[in-house]
Amino acid sequence: MKKWLCGVCGYIHDGEQAPEACPKCGAPMEKFSEIPAEKSALIDRSRKTNQIYMEISALLEQVRELSEIGRDDDLDPPCVALFKKAIVYSVELQQGIKAELASHMGKGKWG
Ligand SMILES: [Zn+2]
């Protein structure tokens, strides 16, 4: 699908045509320019990656919660050690994902 960039605020519109007015800043249609196909494809891939990150982050949340239950059950030292490791890794991965998502948003050009 074609994409259009608001020259005033950087909002990206998906559609065959630019919108009548920018839904974010109200700039008129003339302020929009079409984003080249290659860059448009990059934006789509970035959105897909962000979606994957969101899903993995939700799974990591479950890993952390289950691991806390396992750790608290305290069956034997090797299990507790493994659950503790899973908690540390899931938190670490979630922080990495948050930072990467924030950097995508911060660039303002990845949609
Ligand atoms: Zn705008």
Side-chain angles (χ1 to χ4, degrees), residues 6 8-9 11 22 24-25 27:
C6 174
V8 176
C9 73
Y11 172 80
C22 177
K24 195 171 162 193
C25 74

Side-chain angles (χ1 to χ4, degrees), residues 2-64:
K2 287 183 178 177
K3 289 183 179 47
W4 305 82
L5 178 71
C6 174
V8 176
C9 73
Y11 172 80
I12 293 169
H13 173 80
D14 292 84
E16 281 306 304
Q17 295 182 345
E20 293 292 325
C22 177
K24 195 171 162 193
C25 74
M29 184 185 258
E30 303 78 58
K31 293 288 181 186
F32 279 82
S33 57
E34 188 177 349
I35 295 172
E38 198 175 304
K39 196 174 173 193
S40 176
L42 199 59
I43 290 167
D44 283 335
R45 286 176 59 206
S46 177
R47 287 174 178 170
K48 183 181 172 188
T49 291
N50 287 352
Q51 185 57 42
I52 290 170
Y53 277 146
M54 299 297 281
E55 288 181 35
I56 289 176
S57 188
L59 291 171
L60 288 169
E61 189 66 27
Q62 289 181 39
V63 169
R64 190 180 56 77

Side-chain angles (χ1 to χ4, degrees), residues 80-96:
V80 170
L82 194 54
F83 285 131
K84 281 182 176 173
K85 201 185 266 186
I87 291 165
V88 169
Y89 287 173
S90 58
V91 168
E92 197 177 300
L93 284 170
Q94 274 187 311
Q95 285 169 346

Side-chain angles (χ1 to χ4, degrees), residues 57 93-103:
S57 188
L93 284 170
Q94 274 187 311
Q95 285 169 346
I97 287 172
K98 268 183 203 157
E100 197 54 40
L101 282 172
S103 108

